[in-house]
Amino acid sequence: MRKIIVGMSGGVDSAVTAYLLKAAGFDVTGITLRTWSGADGEESRCCEISDAMQVAQQIGIPYYVQNCVACFRKNVVKPFTSAYLQGRTPNPCVDCNRFVKWEQMILAAERMRADYVATGHYASVVRLPNGRFTVRQAAFSNKDQTYMLYRLTQEQLARTLIPLGRLSKEEVRQIAEKAGLPVAHKKDSQEICFVARGGYAEYIANETDTEILPGNFVDEQGRVIGRHKGIIHYTVGQRKGLGLALGHPAYVKAVDAAKNEVVIGDEQSLYCREILCDEVNFMSVPDIGPKEKLRATVKIRYHHQGEAAIICRDAAETVRVIFDKPVKAATPGQSAVFYDENNCVIGGGKIEAVI
């Protein structure tokens, strides 16, 4: 009987994952990674221990809690705060999956002599003919989470099971309801799990010793057109909350941390044909050679439908993405994820520059 460690957040997806794997005959152990708690003791929506414990008891599986607060602060909270102070817009879930959730679950699996780890993500792990592992998009694209998983390593994927890839959210809730799981109709977690109250800007201001100073809104020619309240309040493509009366729609085109300026343009100014990506991780292929070009569909944000593009090596540490058609609001700090014709992840990286 194969032993599996299931990461349990306290939500319905991980609850059904544990339930299905136990029903399939696996030796299942549940684990919740305590990654964050508020000053008042409030838990992150990714580690609601009381709900996870209740589900584990009902399913009849062993359950443990592992303290990962220091690891989470180092690998997620600090980079998240730093990115906004640099005028970038990060994807904290991407780094959390790679450097916290999977790393810590696999360490737990080694201690417990388990064969695999499993999660409630909507995706599928596949092994390709070339022997490499990757993730394939979920059957129901509205819940697909492969965008958040592209940084996982080959070693991590080789020990991962993700059983919800062919199920819809409605089917998952139906399974939970039929099984009598108490979280069957629990709401999905918020996007940034550790920002419990207020907005992300308020959170960053409380987390940093750096003074958040107001500065200038400037147009594309560098002319001052107003005052902003601090760069952490703005991201590329933003239209609401600018407080500018220009007589026409205004959008954030760029955030210049060095000058403490927010560049304003019209909607058309948000479009680009090329981006540079760093911190690149490949899944389905080992790498791209200096003269090699790959065709792919590239998503530049989680809810982006994706656009056809060519991927090529730009330098030792960066990859250039050239889109067939212009894409809107490519944002430094966000992830660009590359997919093949079979909806499998080729790889991805963080957007370093928009060209």
Side-chain angles (χ1 to χ4, degrees), residues 126-134 154 282-287 340 344-346:
V126 295
R127 191 170 192 180
L128 301 173
N130 65 2
R132 291 185 66 84
F133 290 90
T134 186
Q154 291 296 292
F282 285 103
M283 282 189 170
S284 67
V285 296
D287 204 342
D340 66 18
C344 290
V345 172
I346 299 171

Side-chain angles (χ1 to χ4, degrees), residues 57-312:
Q57 290 174 343
Q58 184 157 341
I59 295 174
I61 61 173
Y63 173 76
Y64 301 93
V65 178
Q66 182 166 320
N67 186 354
C68 301
V69 173
C71 178
F72 186 78
R73 174 165 290 278
K74 174 185 175 182
N75 292 288
V76 180
V77 174
K78 287 188 176 180
F80 173 84
T81 302
S82 177
Y84 269 105
L85 293 172
Q86 295 169 24
R88 299 164 69 85
T89 305
N91 292 123
C93 293
V94 170
D95 290 336
C96 182
N97 286 331
R98 164 66 180 86
F99 296 107
V100 181
K101 289 181 180 177
W102 260 261
E103 191 168 292
Q104 294 299 316
M105 284 193 299
I106 288 176
L107 285 174
E110 290 174 351
R111 289 196 301 271
M112 299 180 192
R113 298 183 180 181
D115 302 285
Y116 296 101
V117 299
T119 72
H121 287 86
Y122 287 85
S124 297
V125 177
V126 295
R127 191 170 192 180
L128 301 173
N130 65 2
R132 291 185 66 84
F133 290 90
T134 186
V135 287
R136 178 179 289 136
Q137 288 181 312
F140 295 84
S141 60
N142 64 323
K143 291 300 295 181
D144 174 60
Q145 292 174 301
T146 52
Y147 179 89
M148 299 297 183
L149 302 176
Y150 80 88
R151 295 201 75 184
L152 299 184
T153 68
Q154 291 296 292
E155 294 73 20
Q156 289 171 333
L157 290 170
R159 298 188 64 177
T160 298
L161 299 178
I162 308 179
L164 302 188
R166 301 198 62 81
L167 298 175
S168 68
K169 187 74 177 193
E170 292 73 21
E171 288 172 321
V172 167
R173 291 197 184 279
Q174 288 170 7
I175 291 169
E177 186 173 14
K178 187 175 181 180
L181 301 182
V183 294
H185 299 288
K186 185 176 179 179
K187 293 181 179 180
D188 289 344
S189 60
Q190 62 187 43
E191 187 174 357
I192 302 177
C193 67
F194 53 93
V195 182
R197 292 193 178 93
Y200 67 88
E202 179 183 341
Y203 180 85
I204 294 166
N206 291 332
E207 279 290 318
T208 182
D209 293 329
T210 301
E211 187 177 2
I212 309 301
L213 297 173
N216 290 328
F217 285 118
V218 298
D219 64 17
E220 294 177 76
Q221 288 72 44
R223 294 179 298 235
V224 176
I225 56 176
R227 294 285 288 174
H228 68 69
K229 55 186 178 181
I231 62 170
I232 64 172
H233 295 274
Y234 308 95
T235 188
V236 172
Q238 181 177 337
R239 179 181 177 184
K240 296 181 179 180
L242 302 182
L244 291 171
L246 303 178
H248 57 81
Y251 298 82
V252 174
K253 180 183 179 181
V255 179
D256 189 332
K259 296 181 179 179
N260 194 26
E261 291 180 344
V262 176
V263 183
I264 300 297
D266 60 16
E267 185 173 11
Q268 191 59 37
S269 73
L270 300 178
Y271 286 86
C272 72
R273 288 289 296 269
E274 297 184 27
I275 58 174
L276 293 181
C277 298
D278 62 3
E279 299 186 41
V280 179
N281 181 61
F282 285 103
M283 282 189 170
S284 67
V285 296
D287 204 342
I288 297 178
K291 298 182 179 180
E292 188 177 2
K293 295 181 179 180
L294 292 180
R295 293 291 301 180
T297 298
V298 179
K299 294 177 64 172
I300 60 170
R301 65 182 64 85
Y302 179 52
H303 293 296
H304 185 216
Q305 292 299 309
E307 182 58 61
I310 293 174
I311 307 166
C312 57

